Amino acid sequence: MSSLEAVVQALRRSDTRSRALPYLIHAALGATIWVTAVLLAARVVPVETRFQLAELGIPVMLAAVGIAWIAQRPRPHVLMQLADLRLGLQERLSTAWERRAERGVMDDLLRQDALQHAQRDRLTQAFPLRINRKEAGVLAILAAAALTLAVLPNPMDQVLAQRQADRASQAKAASAISAVQKKIAASPKAAPVDPKVLKILSDAQQKITQAQDPRQALQAISPAEQQLQQLSDPQTPARTSTAQNLANALSATAAGNAAGQALNSSPSSGAQALRDLASQLQSLSPQERAQLANALAGAAQHAQDPAMAASLQSASAALSNGDVAAAAGALTDLAGQLDSLQGQQSNDQAIASAINGLEAARQGLAAQANSDAAGASSASASGGSSPTAAASAGNGNGTGNGSGNGNGGSGGTNGNGSSGSGSGAGSAAKPGERLYVPGQPVPGQVVNDPTPLGPGQDVPLTPYTQVVQAYQQAALDATNQSLIPGSERDLVRQYFSNLGESSP
């Protein structure tokens, strides 16, 4: 070596190589401990990003060990002392380094003697490569354990999959509600209740999104549907039925045929046609006026809305008495009522569309909630404990209510009923077993047990004219309480209206 500084650099390189391998093993051991701990914790607590979290510890551990490796680098005089001790140089290097700044005769001799013994091949032996076998063995064991934990099935994967499915079902439900909101907002004919409907849907969507699981999200749908149903005018079915009866009555007359056809199209079209008819009353023949008066009287007789019935009766009476001006005024009033009915039907359509969107959201959430309950029951059964009965598989001493109404004719039967609800505690039913709760009678109707018939006795029959009104009211009540579109409700009303027209 040419100088003591060159000796220090050689020893530094040798020390760096010697300490690099143990520190790498330290880093690998620390990273393996971190990965093993994360994988173990992920088998007890569901952690979605367990692999990312485990990988994050590797560079952190390498950086920490690298900082320690640099910070613990020995000083030059320590390197000289270690070299003297390990190479048997009897403190030649350390003494020469301590007196490197001195210029005496003995100092020069000390430096020359130290440099003569500081051969390069000997300096590399001062810091040989060494591995701690115990630490390496622990590293191998932990690495094998971490690999095993990563490969073996994790019981928390099912929980994580369920959470992802829950979030997906809630997002799908929120998307269904959002689609209904866009549809209502983009409708060319805005309904008066549109702002309130959109607000109710927005609140329900927010609650569904923020819910912890689909079961909790379902709790936001029923209140929203109840709020929507409260926006509907309860008189709309009666007014719609009255308008349909009026359309049928006018279509059978020569003067009112055009108005009847327009009324069949929509209440607003019928309203304009009635105004046109009111302006043409003066030009009608006495026979046409009499025919029109009879049609209006028949429609008034079958009218279910008091206000429209009064307008129809007034128009009929005025025409019968020859008071054209009064009849025109009554028809104009009736046209205004039809305009109002058009707004009410538009409201019902918006409400029905919103309820249908909520029902679509309910179906997806209910399916996922049932899947979660089935998974929980399966997990509990496999663990040796009996599961708590879910709503769909439990049977207890709860209370339920339901209603069903039907009407039968010569061609067949029709029925409609709303589902019941109940709660209670009792013994769990077997999986897949169907449970039935008897429906309650329709409010206002008296249900009597049938009289037992003797041998050869015929079943007593009741003329349909005596029961059709009760069946009609029950069916309309059921359609108002059911989540069906307004167009389907109109079919029910039209059916009973036709029955009423054909009755004597």
Side-chain angles (χ1 to χ4, degrees):
M1 288 292 176
S2 59
S3 64
L4 292 177
E5 285 74 11
V7 173
V8 171
Q9 293 178 0
L11 291 176
R12 177 73 67 195
R13 289 191 294 269
S14 178
D15 173 71
T16 299
R17 289 192 300 268
S18 175
R19 292 188 310 115
L21 185 58
Y23 272 89
L24 284 175
I25 295 178
H26 296 339
L29 181 60
T32 305
I33 292 174
W34 170 260
V35 171
T36 305
V38 170
L39 295 180
L40 278 175
R43 302 182 76 84
V44 180
V45 180
V47 181
E48 294 185 1
T49 58
R50 62 178 182 272
F51 291 110
Q52 293 84 347
L53 186 61
E55 293 174 357
L56 180 62
I58 297 176
V60 172
M61 195 60 64
L62 287 174
V65 172
I67 293 174
W69 176 58
I70 295 174
Q72 295 182 4
R73 184 175 58 178
R75 308 290 294 174
H77 69 278
V78 177
L79 291 173
M80 294 294 195
Q81 291 176 358
L82 291 175
D84 285 338
L85 179 63
R86 295 175 180 178
L87 299 178
L89 297 180
Q90 299 179 355
E91 299 184 354
R92 284 186 175 86
L93 293 178
S94 58
T95 302
W97 180 258
E98 290 294 334
R99 301 188 62 82
R100 65 185 181 279
E102 303 297 333
R103 292 295 180 264
V105 176
M106 293 300 297
D107 296 323
D108 293 337
L109 293 176
L110 285 174
R111 284 193 290 273
Q112 291 177 3
D113 179 63
L115 292 176
Q116 289 177 359
H117 288 81
Q119 301 175 2
R120 183 180 298 276
D121 56 347
R122 294 192 64 189
L123 294 180
T124 57
Q125 298 176 4
F127 299 97
L129 295 176
R130 294 178 180 177
I131 298 177
N132 188 328
R133 294 184 178 179
K134 184 177 181 180
E135 186 177 15
V138 174
L139 173 60
I141 294 173
L142 289 177
L147 181 61
T148 302
L149 291 174
V151 172
L152 289 178
N154 190 341
M156 292 294 105
D157 287 344
Q158 183 177 358
V159 178
L160 294 175
Q162 176 180 322
R163 288 184 177 180
Q164 293 177 357
D166 289 349
R167 289 195 295 267
S169 66
Q170 291 174 234
K172 186 177 180 180
S175 177
I177 296 177
S178 178
V180 175
Q181 289 178 297
K182 293 179 181 178
K183 180 180 178 181
I184 294 176
S187 176
K189 295 182 179 180
V193 296
D194 280 358
K196 295 181 180 179
V197 170
L198 294 176
K199 179 64 168 58
I200 293 173
L201 290 176
S202 178
D203 293 342
Q205 181 183 21
Q206 183 177 4
K207 292 179 181 178
I208 289 173
T209 304
Q210 296 177 352
Q212 297 180 356
D213 51 42
R215 186 180 182 87
Q216 185 181 12
L218 282 171
Q219 299 176 3
I221 294 182
S222 293
E225 290 180 344
Q226 293 175 0
Q227 293 175 11
L228 289 171
Q229 291 173 351
Q230 291 174 358
L231 296 177
S232 179
D233 190 339
Q235 287 297 112
T236 302
R239 293 166 184 164
T240 301
S241 177
T242 302
Q244 186 61 51
N245 289 332
L246 175 60
N248 295 336
L250 292 176
S251 298
T253 65
N257 181 59
Q261 297 298 327
L263 189 53
N264 277 325
S265 175
S266 67
S268 59
S269 299
Q272 183 59 43
L274 282 181
R275 292 187 178 94
D276 295 340
L277 179 60
S279 64
Q280 299 170 4
L281 291 179
Q282 190 69 35
S283 61
L284 297 180
S285 66
Q287 183 179 0
E288 290 175 336
R289 293 179 187 176
Q291 187 183 27
L292 183 59
N294 290 334
L296 294 175
Q301 182 180 0
H302 295 91
Q304 298 183 10
D305 180 69
M308 296 181 70
S311 297
L312 288 169
Q313 188 63 40
S314 298
S316 175
L319 280 177
S320 299
N321 296 329
D323 191 349
V324 177
L331 290 179
T332 303
D333 293 341
L334 185 60
Q337 295 168 354
L338 290 176
D339 286 332
S340 177
L341 176 60
Q342 181 68 65
Q344 294 170 358
Q345 289 185 350
S346 299
N347 288 344
D348 284 353
Q349 291 176 359
I351 293 171
S353 178
I355 291 178
N356 289 338
L358 289 174
E359 279 303 302
R362 183 200 294 275
Q363 291 178 3
L365 292 173
Q368 184 59 38
N370 290 336
S371 177
D372 293 347
S377 299
S378 176
S380 299
S382 63
S385 59
S386 75
T388 302
S392 60
N395 183 15
N397 298 323
T399 60
N401 62 77
S403 63
N405 304 291
N407 57 76
S410 60
T413 60
N414 250 333
N416 183 20
S418 60
S419 60
S421 61
S423 61
S427 59
K430 297 179 180 180
E433 179 180 352
R434 294 185 177 182
L435 306 177
Y436 299 91
V437 179
Q440 300 296 324
V442 178
Q445 294 186 2
V446 179
V447 180
N448 298 322
D449 294 333
T451 304
L453 299 176
Q457 290 184 349
D458 295 331
V459 178
L461 301 177
T462 303
Y464 87 97
T465 56
Q466 298 181 13
V467 297
V468 66
Q469 292 295 334
Y471 273 102
Q472 178 181 5
Q473 187 60 44
L476 292 176
D477 291 343
T479 57
N480 291 335
Q481 297 174 3
S482 302
L483 305 177
I484 62 175
S487 59
E488 301 296 335
R489 300 179 188 176
D490 292 341
L491 291 177
V492 177
R493 300 187 189 102
Q494 184 177 0
Y495 172 78
F496 282 102
S497 176
N498 292 337
L499 286 180
E501 287 297 322
S502 62
S503 61

